[in-house]
CSV table of all heavy atoms in Angstrom, one decimal:
chain,number,residue,atom,x,y,z
R,105,LYS,N,119.5,28.5,-53.4
R,105,LYS,CA,120.8,28.0,-53.8
R,105,LYS,C,120.6,26.7,-54.6
R,105,LYS,O,121.3,26.5,-55.6
R,105,LYS,CB,121.6,27.6,-52.5
R,105,LYS,CG,122.3,28.9,-52.0
R,105,LYS,CD,123.3,28.5,-50.9
R,105,LYS,CE,124.0,29.8,-50.5
R,105,LYS,NZ,124.8,29.6,-49.2
R,106,ALA,N,119.7,25.8,-54.2
R,106,ALA,CA,119.4,24.6,-54.9
R,106,ALA,C,118.9,24.9,-56.3
R,106,ALA,O,119.4,24.3,-57.3
R,106,ALA,CB,118.4,23.7,-54.2
R,107,TYR,N,118.1,25.9,-56.4
R,107,TYR,CA,117.5,26.3,-57.7
R,107,TYR,C,118.6,26.9,-58.6
R,107,TYR,O,118.7,26.5,-59.8
R,107,TYR,CB,116.4,27.4,-57.4
R,107,TYR,CG,115.9,28.1,-58.6
R,107,TYR,CD1,115.4,27.5,-59.7
R,107,TYR,CD2,116.0,29.5,-58.6
R,107,TYR,CE1,114.9,28.2,-60.7
R,107,TYR,CE2,115.5,30.3,-59.6
R,107,TYR,CZ,115.0,29.6,-60.7
R,107,TYR,OH,114.5,30.4,-61.8
R,108,SER,N,119.5,27.7,-58.1
R,108,SER,CA,120.5,28.3,-59.0
R,108,SER,C,121.5,27.2,-59.4
R,108,SER,O,122.0,27.3,-60.5
R,108,SER,CB,121.2,29.5,-58.4
R,108,SER,OG,121.2,29.5,-57.1
R,109,GLU,N,121.7,26.3,-58.6
R,109,GLU,CA,122.6,25.2,-59.0
R,109,GLU,C,122.0,24.4,-60.1
R,109,GLU,O,122.6,24.0,-61.0
R,109,GLU,CB,123.0,24.3,-57.7
R,109,GLU,CG,124.1,23.3,-57.9
R,109,GLU,CD,125.5,24.0,-58.1
R,109,GLU,OE1,125.6,25.2,-57.8
R,109,GLU,OE2,126.4,23.3,-58.6
R,110,ALA,N,120.7,24.1,-59.9
R,110,ALA,CA,120.0,23.3,-60.9
R,110,ALA,C,120.0,24.0,-62.3
R,110,ALA,O,120.1,23.3,-63.3
R,110,ALA,CB,118.5,23.0,-60.5
R,111,GLY,N,120.0,25.3,-62.3
R,111,GLY,CA,120.0,26.1,-63.5
R,111,GLY,C,121.3,25.8,-64.4
R,111,GLY,O,121.3,26.0,-65.6
R,112,LYS,N,122.3,25.3,-63.8
R,112,LYS,CA,123.5,25.0,-64.5
R,112,LYS,C,123.3,23.7,-65.3
R,112,LYS,O,124.1,23.5,-66.3
R,112,LYS,CB,124.7,24.7,-63.5
R,112,LYS,CG,125.1,25.9,-62.7
R,112,LYS,CD,126.3,25.5,-61.9
R,112,LYS,CE,126.8,26.6,-61.0
R,112,LYS,NZ,127.8,26.1,-60.1
R,113,TYR,N,122.4,22.9,-64.9
R,113,TYR,CA,122.3,21.5,-65.5
R,113,TYR,C,121.0,21.3,-66.3
R,113,TYR,O,120.9,20.3,-67.0
R,113,TYR,CB,122.5,20.4,-64.5
R,113,TYR,CG,123.7,20.6,-63.7
R,113,TYR,CD1,123.7,21.0,-62.3
R,113,TYR,CD2,125.0,20.3,-64.3
R,113,TYR,CE1,124.9,21.1,-61.6
R,113,TYR,CE2,126.2,20.5,-63.6
R,113,TYR,CZ,126.1,20.9,-62.2
R,113,TYR,OH,127.3,21.0,-61.5
R,114,CYS,N,120.0,22.1,-66.0
R,114,CYS,CA,118.7,21.8,-66.6
R,114,CYS,C,117.9,23.0,-66.7
R,114,CYS,O,118.3,24.1,-66.3
R,114,CYS,CB,118.0,20.7,-65.8
R,114,CYS,SG,117.5,21.2,-64.2
R,115,ASP,N,116.6,22.9,-67.2
R,115,ASP,CA,115.7,24.0,-67.4
R,115,ASP,C,115.0,24.1,-66.0
R,115,ASP,O,113.9,23.5,-65.9
R,115,ASP,CB,114.8,23.7,-68.6
R,115,ASP,CG,113.5,24.6,-68.6
R,115,ASP,OD1,113.6,25.6,-67.9
R,115,ASP,OD2,112.6,24.2,-69.3
R,116,ALA,N,115.5,24.9,-65.1
R,116,ALA,CA,114.9,25.0,-63.8
R,116,ALA,C,114.1,26.3,-63.8
R,116,ALA,O,114.6,27.3,-64.3
R,116,ALA,CB,116.0,25.1,-62.7
R,117,VAL,N,112.9,26.2,-63.2
R,117,VAL,CA,112.1,27.4,-63.1
R,117,VAL,C,111.6,27.5,-61.6
R,117,VAL,O,111.5,26.5,-60.9
R,117,VAL,CB,110.9,27.5,-64.0
R,117,VAL,CG1,111.3,27.5,-65.5
R,117,VAL,CG2,109.8,26.5,-63.6
R,118,ALA,N,111.4,28.8,-61.2
R,118,ALA,CA,110.8,29.0,-59.9
R,118,ALA,C,109.3,29.0,-60.0
R,118,ALA,O,108.7,29.9,-60.5
R,118,ALA,CB,111.3,30.3,-59.3
R,119,ALA,N,108.7,27.9,-59.6
R,119,ALA,CA,107.2,27.8,-59.7
R,119,ALA,C,106.5,28.7,-58.8
R,119,ALA,O,105.3,29.1,-59.0
R,119,ALA,CB,106.8,26.3,-59.5
R,120,ALA,N,107.1,29.0,-57.6
R,120,ALA,CA,106.4,29.8,-56.6
R,120,ALA,C,107.5,30.4,-55.7
R,120,ALA,O,108.6,29.8,-55.6
R,120,ALA,CB,105.4,29.1,-55.8
R,121,SER,N,107.3,31.5,-55.0
R,121,SER,CA,108.3,32.0,-54.2
R,121,SER,C,107.6,32.9,-53.1
R,121,SER,O,106.5,33.4,-53.3
R,121,SER,CB,109.2,32.9,-55.0
R,121,SER,OG,110.0,33.7,-54.1
R,122,SER,N,108.3,32.9,-51.9
R,122,SER,CA,107.8,33.8,-50.9
R,122,SER,C,108.8,34.9,-50.6
R,122,SER,O,108.8,35.5,-49.5
R,122,SER,CB,107.4,33.1,-49.6
R,122,SER,OG,108.5,32.2,-49.2
R,123,ALA,N,109.6,35.2,-51.6
R,123,ALA,CA,110.6,36.3,-51.5
R,123,ALA,C,110.0,37.7,-51.2
R,123,ALA,O,110.6,38.5,-50.6
R,123,ALA,CB,111.5,36.3,-52.7
R,124,ASP,N,108.8,37.9,-51.7
R,124,ASP,CA,108.1,39.2,-51.6
R,124,ASP,C,107.9,39.6,-50.1
R,124,ASP,O,107.9,40.8,-49.8
R,124,ASP,CB,106.7,39.2,-52.3
R,124,ASP,CG,105.8,38.2,-51.7
R,124,ASP,OD1,106.2,37.1,-51.2
R,124,ASP,OD2,104.6,38.3,-51.9
R,125,LYS,N,107.8,38.6,-49.2
R,125,LYS,CA,107.7,39.0,-47.8
R,125,LYS,C,108.8,38.4,-46.9
R,125,LYS,O,108.5,37.8,-45.9
R,125,LYS,CB,106.3,38.6,-47.3
R,125,LYS,CG,105.2,39.5,-47.9
R,125,LYS,CD,103.8,39.1,-47.3
R,125,LYS,CE,102.7,40.0,-48.0
R,125,LYS,NZ,101.4,39.3,-47.9
R,126,THR,N,110.0,38.5,-47.4
R,126,THR,CA,111.2,38.0,-46.7
R,126,THR,C,111.0,36.5,-46.3
R,126,THR,O,111.4,36.2,-45.2
R,126,THR,CB,111.6,38.9,-45.5
R,126,THR,OG1,111.1,40.2,-45.7
R,126,THR,CG2,113.1,38.9,-45.4
R,127,PHE,N,110.4,35.7,-47.1
R,127,PHE,CA,110.2,34.3,-46.8
R,127,PHE,C,109.5,34.0,-45.5
R,127,PHE,O,109.9,33.0,-44.8
R,127,PHE,CB,111.6,33.6,-46.9
R,127,PHE,CG,112.3,33.8,-48.2
R,127,PHE,CD1,113.5,34.5,-48.3
R,127,PHE,CD2,111.7,33.2,-49.4
R,127,PHE,CE1,114.1,34.7,-49.5
R,127,PHE,CE2,112.4,33.4,-50.6
R,127,PHE,CZ,113.6,34.1,-50.7
R,128,SER,N,108.6,34.8,-45.1
R,128,SER,CA,107.9,34.6,-43.8
R,128,SER,C,106.7,33.7,-43.9
R,128,SER,O,106.0,33.6,-42.9
R,128,SER,CB,107.5,36.0,-43.3
R,128,SER,OG,106.7,36.6,-44.2
R,129,TYR,N,106.5,33.1,-45.1
R,129,TYR,CA,105.4,32.2,-45.2
R,129,TYR,C,105.7,31.2,-46.3
R,129,TYR,O,106.7,31.3,-47.0
R,129,TYR,CB,104.1,33.0,-45.6
R,129,TYR,CG,104.1,33.6,-47.0
R,129,TYR,CD1,103.4,33.0,-48.1
R,129,TYR,CD2,104.9,34.7,-47.3
R,129,TYR,CE1,103.5,33.5,-49.4
R,129,TYR,CE2,105.0,35.3,-48.6
R,129,TYR,CZ,104.2,34.7,-49.6
R,129,TYR,OH,104.3,35.2,-50.9
R,130,ILE,N,104.9,30.2,-46.4
R,130,ILE,CA,105.0,29.1,-47.4
R,130,ILE,C,104.0,29.5,-48.6
R,130,ILE,O,102.8,29.6,-48.3
R,130,ILE,CB,104.7,27.7,-46.9
R,130,ILE,CG1,105.6,27.3,-45.8
R,130,ILE,CG2,104.6,26.7,-48.0
R,130,ILE,CD1,107.0,27.0,-46.2
R,131,PRO,N,104.5,29.7,-49.8
R,131,PRO,CA,103.6,30.1,-50.9
R,131,PRO,C,102.6,28.9,-51.2
R,131,PRO,O,103.0,27.8,-51.2
R,131,PRO,CB,104.5,30.4,-52.0
R,131,PRO,CG,105.8,29.7,-51.7
R,131,PRO,CD,105.9,29.6,-50.2
R,132,LYS,N,101.3,29.3,-51.4
R,132,LYS,CA,100.3,28.3,-51.8
R,132,LYS,C,100.5,27.9,-53.3
R,132,LYS,O,100.8,28.7,-54.1
R,132,LYS,CB,98.9,28.9,-51.7
R,132,LYS,CG,98.6,29.4,-50.3
R,132,LYS,CD,97.9,28.3,-49.5
R,132,LYS,CE,97.5,28.8,-48.1
R,132,LYS,NZ,98.7,29.1,-47.2
R,133,THR,N,100.4,26.6,-53.5
R,133,THR,CA,100.5,26.1,-54.9
R,133,THR,C,99.4,25.1,-55.1
R,133,THR,O,98.8,24.6,-54.2
R,133,THR,CB,101.9,25.4,-55.1
R,133,THR,OG1,102.0,24.4,-54.1
R,133,THR,CG2,103.0,26.4,-55.1
R,134,THR,N,99.1,24.9,-56.4
R,134,THR,CA,98.2,23.8,-56.8
R,134,THR,C,99.0,23.1,-57.9
R,134,THR,O,100.1,23.5,-58.3
R,134,THR,CB,96.9,24.4,-57.5
R,134,THR,OG1,97.3,25.1,-58.7
R,134,THR,CG2,96.2,25.3,-56.5
R,135,ARG,N,98.3,22.0,-58.4
R,135,ARG,CA,99.0,21.2,-59.5
R,135,ARG,C,99.3,22.1,-60.7
R,135,ARG,O,100.3,21.9,-61.4
R,135,ARG,CB,98.0,20.1,-60.0
R,135,ARG,CG,98.1,18.9,-59.1
R,135,ARG,CD,97.4,17.8,-59.7
R,135,ARG,NE,97.0,16.8,-58.7
R,135,ARG,CZ,96.6,15.6,-58.9
R,135,ARG,NH1,96.5,15.2,-60.1
R,135,ARG,NH2,96.3,14.8,-57.9
R,136,GLU,N,98.5,23.1,-60.9
R,136,GLU,CA,98.7,24.0,-62.1
R,136,GLU,C,99.9,24.9,-61.9
R,136,GLU,O,100.3,25.5,-62.8
R,136,GLU,CB,97.4,24.9,-62.3
R,136,GLU,CG,96.2,24.1,-62.9
R,136,GLU,CD,95.6,23.1,-62.0
R,136,GLU,OE1,95.4,23.3,-60.8
R,136,GLU,OE2,95.4,21.9,-62.4
R,137,SER,N,100.4,25.0,-60.7
R,137,SER,CA,101.6,25.8,-60.5
R,137,SER,C,102.8,25.2,-61.1
R,137,SER,O,103.8,25.8,-61.3
R,137,SER,CB,101.9,25.9,-59.0
R,137,SER,OG,100.8,26.3,-58.3
R,138,PHE,N,102.7,23.9,-61.4
R,138,PHE,CA,103.9,23.1,-62.0
R,138,PHE,C,103.7,22.7,-63.4
R,138,PHE,O,102.6,22.5,-63.8
R,138,PHE,CB,104.2,21.9,-61.1
R,138,PHE,CG,104.2,22.2,-59.6
R,138,PHE,CD1,103.1,21.7,-58.8
R,138,PHE,CD2,105.2,23.0,-59.1
R,138,PHE,CE1,103.1,22.0,-57.4
R,138,PHE,CE2,105.1,23.3,-57.7
R,138,PHE,CZ,104.1,22.8,-56.9
R,139,ARG,N,104.8,22.6,-64.1
R,139,ARG,CA,104.8,22.2,-65.5
R,139,ARG,C,104.5,20.7,-65.5
R,139,ARG,O,105.2,19.9,-64.8
R,139,ARG,CB,106.1,22.4,-66.2
R,139,ARG,CG,106.4,23.9,-66.4
R,139,ARG,CD,107.7,24.2,-67.0
R,139,ARG,NE,108.8,23.9,-66.1
R,139,ARG,CZ,110.1,24.1,-66.4
R,139,ARG,NH1,110.4,24.6,-67.5
R,139,ARG,NH2,111.0,23.8,-65.5
R,140,SER,N,103.4,20.3,-66.1
R,140,SER,CA,102.9,18.9,-66.0
R,140,SER,C,104.0,17.8,-66.4
R,140,SER,O,103.9,16.7,-66.0
R,140,SER,CB,101.6,18.7,-66.7
R,140,SER,OG,101.8,18.9,-68.1
R,141,ASP,N,104.9,18.3,-67.3
R,141,ASP,CA,105.9,17.3,-67.8
R,141,ASP,C,107.3,17.5,-67.1
R,141,ASP,O,108.3,17.0,-67.5
R,141,ASP,CB,106.1,17.4,-69.3
R,141,ASP,CG,106.5,18.8,-69.7
R,141,ASP,OD1,106.4,19.8,-68.9
R,141,ASP,OD2,106.9,19.0,-70.9
R,142,ALA,N,107.3,18.2,-65.9
R,142,ALA,CA,108.5,18.4,-65.2
R,142,ALA,C,109.1,17.1,-64.7
R,142,ALA,O,108.3,16.2,-64.4
R,142,ALA,CB,108.3,19.4,-64.0
R,143,ASP,N,110.4,17.0,-64.6
R,143,ASP,CA,111.0,15.8,-64.1
R,143,ASP,C,110.8,15.6,-62.6
R,143,ASP,O,110.8,14.5,-62.1
R,143,ASP,CB,112.5,15.7,-64.5
R,143,ASP,CG,112.7,15.4,-66.0
R,143,ASP,OD1,111.8,14.7,-66.5
R,143,ASP,OD2,113.7,15.8,-66.5
R,144,TYR,N,110.8,16.8,-61.9
R,144,TYR,CA,110.5,16.8,-60.5
R,144,TYR,C,110.1,18.1,-60.0
R,144,TYR,O,110.4,19.1,-60.7
R,144,TYR,CB,111.7,16.2,-59.7
R,144,TYR,CG,113.0,17.0,-59.8
R,144,TYR,CD1,113.2,18.1,-59.0
R,144,TYR,CD2,114.0,16.7,-60.7
R,144,TYR,CE1,114.4,18.9,-59.0
R,144,TYR,CE2,115.2,17.4,-60.8
R,144,TYR,CZ,115.4,18.5,-60.0
R,144,TYR,OH,116.5,19.2,-60.1
R,145,VAL,N,109.5,18.2,-58.8
R,145,VAL,CA,109.3,19.4,-58.1
R,145,VAL,C,110.2,19.4,-56.8
R,145,VAL,O,110.3,18.3,-56.2
R,145,VAL,CB,107.8,19.6,-57.7
R,145,VAL,CG1,107.6,20.7,-56.7
R,145,VAL,CG2,106.9,19.7,-58.9
R,146,TYR,N,110.8,20.5,-56.5
R,146,TYR,CA,111.8,20.5,-55.4
R,146,TYR,C,111.3,21.5,-54.4
R,146,TYR,O,111.0,22.6,-54.7
R,146,TYR,CB,113.1,21.0,-56.0
R,146,TYR,CG,114.2,21.0,-54.9
R,146,TYR,CD1,115.2,20.0,-54.8
R,146,TYR,CD2,114.3,22.1,-54.0
R,146,TYR,CE1,116.2,20.1,-53.8
R,146,TYR,CE2,115.3,22.2,-53.1
R,146,TYR,CZ,116.3,21.1,-53.0
R,146,TYR,OH,117.3,21.2,-52.0
Side-chain angles (χ1 to χ4, degrees):
K105 281 190 174 164
Y107 166 59
S108 29
E109 193 66 18
K112 295 182 184 173
Y113 304 109
C114 66
D115 166 17
V117 302
S121 167
S122 51
D124 60 335
K125 289 182 182 155
T126 336
F127 301 116
S128 58
Y129 70 103
I130 297 287
K132 299 267 182 298
T133 54
T134 63
R135 278 190 200 195
E136 286 66 46
S137 312
F138 311 110
R139 294 176 289 183
S140 59
D141 59 347
D143 285 333
Y144 63 85
V145 170
Y146 181 102

